[in-house]
Amino acid sequence: MSITFKQYHPVKTGLAVLFMLLFLACIGLLAWASYKGATVHGPIHIAANAARVCVTLNDEILVLDTHGALQERHTLDALGVSGYPIDLRLQDDGTLLIATQRPAGLFMCASPYWQCQVVESPLFEQLRTQIKVLRDPGGEDLFVSDTAGGRLHRLSADGQNVRGLTAVGQFRRVNDIALDQKRRLWVADSGNRRIAILQPDANGDWAMTGELSARTELARPGLDWPMMIALSPDGNAWVVQPDALGESADLLIYDAQQGVKARINLLDDAHPTDVAHSGNSMLVTDRDAFRIQRVDIDTHAVKPFGDQGVQVILDAAAGENARADRMMDLALAGMVLFGVLMIAMALWATPKGRLFTQQRGVPKLEARPASGPRSGGLHWLVRDAKTDKFLCMAQRTLLLATVGMAAALIFAGYLLNSVLDKEAARQAASCITGISEVLAVLGVLALGGPVLGYLGFRNMRNRLGSDGHYLHVQLHNGEHLTLDPARLVYTGRVLAYQNHLFLIQTGNRKPLYVEGEIETHIAPLLSRATRLGPAAMMRYQFQHREPVTVISVFYIAAVIAALWYTGLWRFMFPGH
């Protein structure tokens, strides 16, 4: 009896394709909105002197007076600043120092016309990630922090003479430096959860004279990652201290002797980002809430900072960010809606009787006597045509997926190193040695799988044969093996000989050979072979250095080592 299937309905199929295209469009919208939301944010870096306040906002620098009135507004391109500002220092003479990252650099901008010049130095070519720059009030030299190298440098004003101030690796992720009136250099040693204090000796060599732990009961739990430092006239250090993931932050006051002495009570939704001293107040930026706040040094009273013109600019940025968030929500809702409709329409368009394909039986390797007399002729097992077609498609898909993942990693590297600002990048990799290390780990995770997949497909291309006495194998590279069954080991799903694996089914249990071939030609040979359990087979494969097994072990070890070395394990165990 023949079964006739109803033909596909073109309208239903067309609707399924339409919903699929809408689903893909929502994915594209989500990517665009995510990018927009990550690159549009509130004010981050702030610097002040007796007359002015400078604030970074996206690709601009706002210039305010000490009362918060907007005076000037400049784009980074107009100033001639390449790269994104990682640090601002406003000198008493009105000179603005702008440190950038990706690549590391330093710009010196003179007022009133804000003519910015690049400070050339071989040091900046060596630094891989963010830097902080501080001019020494006692001279023209600059203090420069090397976040990746964990050390401090002293740089001449012309940028040509460099001297190491501390040893390599003395700190872990220096995020800010500040010099007080007693020539004590405060260092935000974020990776070591501390504030380090350095002072020069009689010979001019700087040594650590104080160490203040960032783990304190005054801070909220988990907020022990000191980031930004500003010194008040009373000699205390005001420190922005988030958690390692940058999800929330406190504003703390450190005393050089006793450590943390107070926490400023900001608004409930406040997320302080940077802090600067201005008059009898400390100015605090709030990246997430799109605002600047003034905190009285004596009373700790908190008030908004910035006139109507500043607020209009901040509200515009907040509105653009909110629109990006709404687009993300819309894209996610569209993905759910059109994904469900796509699947439902595809099922509706599929003819009855073809919705589900009955799973074919997969043979198991079991020793059994031959069903008839041995002929002595060599018989190559007939491969299953559908499985071979599936393997061919899977290999092509694996290749495309590998290329896609490599392209995604390259794009992520470009995005993180060229587009995102420091704070957005830090939220993605705040407790990691550097963004390049993050991408290296992702590369191991993403590209290690396809390598193992390729080796697995290679084993599946090995073809089995039998002459009734010996097992014959046509390897993937064309080599022909003739094996004594007594030297074989097997489990219910695989044969093994030294460093070779001979599979009879795919990973999703599709048979490699047509029905009856394994039972008729391979099973009789297994009476002389050795059957092993799963654990014993794993040991056998490792002892004989079977490529998939060995590479899998090294892959797992490499992933664990990379997660530990770079600090990504903190994302899985944020409490440590």
Side-chain angles (χ1 to χ4, degrees), residues 101-346:
Q101 65 174 352
R102 302 188 298 273
L106 178 63
F107 295 83
M108 189 172 295
C109 307
S111 62
Y113 303 107
W114 298 104
Q115 298 174 346
C116 297
Q117 296 180 345
V118 180
V119 178
E120 301 285 353
S121 174
L123 174 63
F124 299 142
E125 300 176 1
Q126 303 171 13
L127 303 182
R128 296 188 293 117
T129 182
Q130 67 190 53
I131 63 173
K132 294 300 173 74
V133 178
L134 177 66
R135 174 171 282 174
D136 185 354
E140 295 297 321
D141 288 355
L142 301 170
F143 296 105
V144 180
S145 69
D146 175 7
T147 300
R151 69 181 308 192
L152 302 178
H153 300 273
R154 193 178 183 93
L155 181 68
S156 62
D158 60 5
Q160 299 308 305
N161 297 319
V162 182
R163 182 168 67 91
L165 207 65
T166 61
V168 176
Q170 182 171 347
F171 307 107
R172 289 181 56 198
R173 292 196 61 81
V174 177
N175 271 303
D176 203 6
I177 51 178
L179 189 69
D180 64 16
Q181 295 178 352
K182 297 180 180 180
R183 289 193 63 75
R184 294 180 299 193
L185 190 62
W186 298 65
V187 181
D189 188 8
S190 304
N192 288 319
R193 268 68 171 184
R194 67 178 181 176
I195 297 290
I197 300 177
L198 282 68
Q199 282 186 284
D201 58 20
N203 299 322
D205 297 325
W206 291 75
M208 190 162 65
T209 59
E211 182 179 1
L212 309 175
S213 175
R215 292 188 167 100
T216 170
E217 294 181 356
L218 291 176
R220 287 177 291 172
L223 305 187
D224 56 3
W225 190 266
M227 283 289 296
M228 312 302 293
I229 303 176
L231 298 169
S232 57
D234 56 8
N236 292 325
W238 291 55
V239 179
V240 172
Q241 188 162 298
D243 60 351
L245 303 182
E247 295 178 351
S248 58
D250 278 337
L251 180 59
L252 305 175
I253 302 177
Y254 278 76
D255 178 82
Q257 302 300 324
Q258 69 184 69
V260 179
K261 58 185 294 186
R263 176 167 70 91
I264 302 301
N265 294 318
L266 300 173
L267 299 177
D268 291 340
D269 62 340
H271 186 166
T273 311
D274 197 3
V275 59
H277 167 244
S278 176
N280 196 44
S281 302
M282 305 300 288
L283 304 179
V284 184
T285 56
D286 193 326
R287 177 186 188 274
D288 294 341
F290 293 83
R291 64 189 170 208
I292 307 170
Q293 299 176 89
R294 180 197 296 270
V295 183
D296 187 276
I297 293 176
D298 298 323
T299 65
H300 298 174
V302 180
K303 296 181 179 180
F305 181 78
D307 65 2
Q308 185 63 29
V310 174
Q311 195 57 50
V312 168
I313 296 173
L314 294 178
D315 289 344
E320 189 174 357
N321 182 269
R323 285 191 293 273
D325 288 342
R326 288 194 296 270
M327 294 300 289
M328 288 178 61
D329 294 338
L330 181 62
L332 288 171
M335 288 174 61
V336 173
L337 174 63
F338 294 123
V340 171
L341 291 175
M342 175 183 66
I343 294 172
M345 193 58 62

Side-chain angles (χ1 to χ4, degrees), residues 384-398:
D384 187 281
K386 291 184 177 180
T387 301
D388 275 351
K389 184 177 180 181
F390 165 79
L391 291 177
C392 182
M393 293 177 60
Q395 286 178 280
R396 293 176 181 175
T397 303
L398 180 65

